[in-house]
Amino acid sequence: MDYFSKFEELKSENLSLDLTRGKPSSDQLDLSNSLMETSENLAMFESLDLRNYGEIKGIDSCRDLGAKILNCDKDLVWAGGNSSLSLMSQFLTFLFVQGNGGGPWSNKERISVLCPVPGYDRHFKLCETFGINMISVPLTGRGPDLGEVKRLVETDESIRGIWCVPKYSNPTGEVYSRDTIEGLLDIFGNQSRKNIIFWDNAYAVHDLSNQPPLIDIFSLAQDKKCEDSVVQFGSTSKITFAGSGIGYIAMSKTNQELFLPFYSSLMIGPDKINQAKHVIFFKDVDLMDHMKKHAEIIKPKFDLVISKLNSQSLGKWTAPDGGYFLLYESDNGMAKRIISLAEELGLKLTPAGATHPYGIDEEDKYIRIAPTACSLEELDKAMDVFLCCIGLASEERRN
Ligand SMILES: Cc1ncc(COP(=O)(O)O)c(C=O)c1O
């Protein structure tokens, strides 16, 4: 193919396309529209006056919903706010101000957290904001490289935790194996260090086909007597409405007791009316049937990306069983060039390096593709642009 001519042809189309953020498309959001149309009077719900303050941990039935999503014991789950990211930031604030039993993190000279890479840019941004030193560890396709994790934890006293997206990891799409989860617990379960595994289970029920649920990390941790070393997060952002959903945090009884006074100082109660709306919605709608409907909308988009990439066969890419992302891997030193060529053609891609701490992908080869937000037609065009840019960048490399 003459990529240069194709590039000029696409440029003349003055396109405006975007494959940056993992957002639900409007037809996915439509699946939950009845949430906004409930005819029930929500003043009194399950013997609670929802209009008033209170129920800091969230209403019981909404915590049940969280337990179902996260596949863990309901007593561990709190429903709070509209986003898991803000719960992560609140928990980090708690660690810095008060700590989880080993003194406030702010008193320590240096706090480091392991960041499996390629990973989620907002975890990295949170760390940067809090002044947490980030140490990259490679992912293996079944979770983080345990040998490297162990070596680092044993040699660096400043390490206090690890970020994990255990199911359909953003952006590699991998699912952590049972061995990896057990290995992480063995390494981080040492309670003298008060380590935390930040278990961001954002894609717990976001399968593209029938898949088994992820094993409950709390039950494994209980067997190993280290349940205090896990804090789990999730939300309904990509189940119902992104921005008007329910955020979840789940942790051991001991951690709840430590966190509760701090959390209660930040607020007097969550939005219980939205929680009740979610409970009512999922009385009529089966959660897994609902997620199948999401998959029916999303899967053709993933298939399209993969078939387009197959048609050109330059580089490597993932074919995940769920989640919101595919990951394209170019030859070393090409990601930035591909992204800047795409920008010239009006296609926005996640900045090169976003998949790594401090925005630095030393090999300059990873590009995250978020195919869900646009229509199939837009995606088709966006992939033509992407392939053209990959082709042109490869040709430039050869010459
Ligand atoms: C791994 C991961 N965690 C958290 C979030 C944000 O979730 P929330 O909307 O609940 O803040 C995302 C969104 O893309 C994500 O990919």
Side-chain angles (χ1 to χ4, degrees):
M1 152 131 30
D2 175 0
Y3 290 114
F4 188 74
S5 307
K6 180 78 183 168
F7 188 85
E8 290 306 315
E9 182 193 314
L10 287 165
K11 197 169 189 176
S12 69
E13 292 184 38
N14 291 320
L15 298 165
S16 173
L17 298 160
D18 190 337
L19 293 183
T20 56
R21 293 246 64 104
K23 294 197 295 194
S25 59
S26 51
D27 42 352
Q28 284 179 265
L29 297 169
D30 285 345
L31 295 173
S32 306
N33 276 350
S34 63
L35 252 177
M36 296 184 292
E37 288 151 15
T38 177
S39 56
E40 248 177 83
N41 179 348
L42 294 177
M44 290 304 289
F45 184 77
E46 295 173 356
S47 312
L48 290 170
D49 189 337
L50 298 186
R51 301 163 302 176
N52 221 329
Y53 288 135
E55 297 304 307
I56 186 87
K57 298 179 186 175
I59 60 176
D60 264 3
S61 47
C62 192
R63 295 173 66 192
D64 278 332
L65 175 63
K68 198 165 166 190
I69 294 168
L70 297 176
N71 187 31
C72 69
D73 181 351
K74 173 236 158 153
D75 289 337
L76 306 183
V77 181
W78 297 2
N82 67 341
S83 132
S84 59
L85 203 63
S86 65
L87 288 166
M88 290 173 217
S89 71
Q90 284 159 10
F91 196 78
L92 280 176
T93 312
F94 154 77
L95 290 171
F96 272 87
V97 173
Q98 185 181 318
N100 56 332
W105 280 16
S106 58
N107 284 356
K108 312 263 187 280
E109 206 172 299
R110 180 177 160 102
I111 292 283
S112 303
V113 167
L114 298 185
C115 299
V117 291
Y120 177 38
D121 53 350
R122 287 190 181 266
H123 290 160
F124 306 150
K125 190 76 202 155
L126 266 183
C127 282
E128 271 195 82
T129 307
F130 279 85
I132 296 170
N133 178 48
M134 290 179 268
I135 302 174
S136 299
V137 285
L139 284 162
T140 61
R142 296 158 61 80
D145 177 339
L146 288 181
E148 184 60 3
V149 169
K150 190 164 189 288
R151 187 189 69 75
L152 285 163
V153 171
E154 281 172 359
T155 52
D156 188 339
E157 274 287 309
S158 73
I159 294 170
R160 283 287 171 282
I162 183 168
W163 286 109
C164 295
V165 183
K167 198 167 171 199
Y168 311 132
S169 199
N170 175 355
T172 64
E174 69 200 77
V175 180
Y176 288 22
S177 67
R178 184 188 178 114
D179 286 352
T180 305
I181 302 175
E182 297 218 40
L184 286 170
L185 289 168
D186 290 338
I187 297 168
F188 286 94
N190 171 357
Q191 275 313 291
S192 64
R193 287 269 281 270
K194 304 283 173 202
N195 285 317
I196 297 286
I197 300 175
F198 296 93
W199 201 244
D200 181 358
N201 205 352
Y203 301 106
V205 287
H206 304 60
D207 312 308
L208 290 175
S209 55
N210 279 337
Q211 299 293 331
L214 187 75
I215 192 154
D216 171 20
I217 189 169
F218 286 118
S219 61
L220 291 180
Q222 223 165 15
D223 294 344
K224 292 176 184 286
K225 308 213 176 337
C226 62
E227 60 267 40
D228 298 342
S229 50
V230 181
V231 178
Q232 177 159 210
F233 301 92
S235 76
T236 69
S237 292
K238 286 158 189 164
I239 297 175
T240 56
F241 296 146
S244 300
I246 309 291
Y248 288 107
I249 185 168
M251 61 195 132
S252 70
K253 283 278 163 63
T254 308
N255 282 334
Q256 288 183 45
E257 277 162 25
L258 287 170
F259 186 49
L260 187 60
F262 179 84
Y263 187 67
S264 308
S265 74
L266 304 182
M267 81 196 71
I268 316 180
D271 176 353
K272 295 183 287 298
I273 291 186
N274 196 31
Q275 295 192 357
K277 283 183 184 169
H278 277 74
V279 170
I280 292 164
F281 179 78
F282 283 110
K283 266 187 197 149
D284 293 337
V285 173
D286 176 76
L287 172 67
M288 293 321 284
D289 286 347
H290 183 71
M291 294 315 292
K292 279 196 183 117
K293 290 190 185 142
H294 277 283
E296 278 163 23
I297 298 170
I298 294 177
K299 186 159 187 308
K301 297 181 180 177
F302 278 75
D303 290 346
L304 176 64
V305 171
I306 290 166
S307 85
K308 288 268 180 176
L309 288 166
N310 277 334
S311 73
Q312 181 172 271
S313 270
L314 287 173
K316 290 193 245 170
W317 51 90
T318 55
D321 291 321
Y324 263 61
F325 303 99
L326 295 106
L327 187 64
Y328 177 77
E329 190 180 329
S330 68
D331 286 346
N332 284 9
M334 280 178 49
K336 278 197 190 119
R337 180 63 183 148
I338 294 169
I339 291 167
S340 102
L341 286 169
E343 201 178 343
E344 271 188 64
L345 296 187
L347 169 62
K348 276 199 202 115
L349 291 167
T350 313
T355 50
H356 286 63
Y358 309 105
I360 302 169
D361 164 13
E362 303 254 351
E363 295 166 302
D364 185 28
K365 67 176 186 181
Y366 292 108
I367 302 177
R368 185 180 85 166
I369 302 173
T372 55
C374 55
S375 67
L376 268 173
E377 294 68 36
E378 287 165 333
L379 184 60
D380 193 73
K381 189 50 121 182
M383 287 309 295
D384 285 344
V385 170
F386 189 48
L387 295 190
C388 175
C389 297
I390 294 170
L392 192 54
S394 306
E395 227 163 71
E396 286 173 355
R397 168 63 65 92
R398 275 195 296 274
N399 294 331

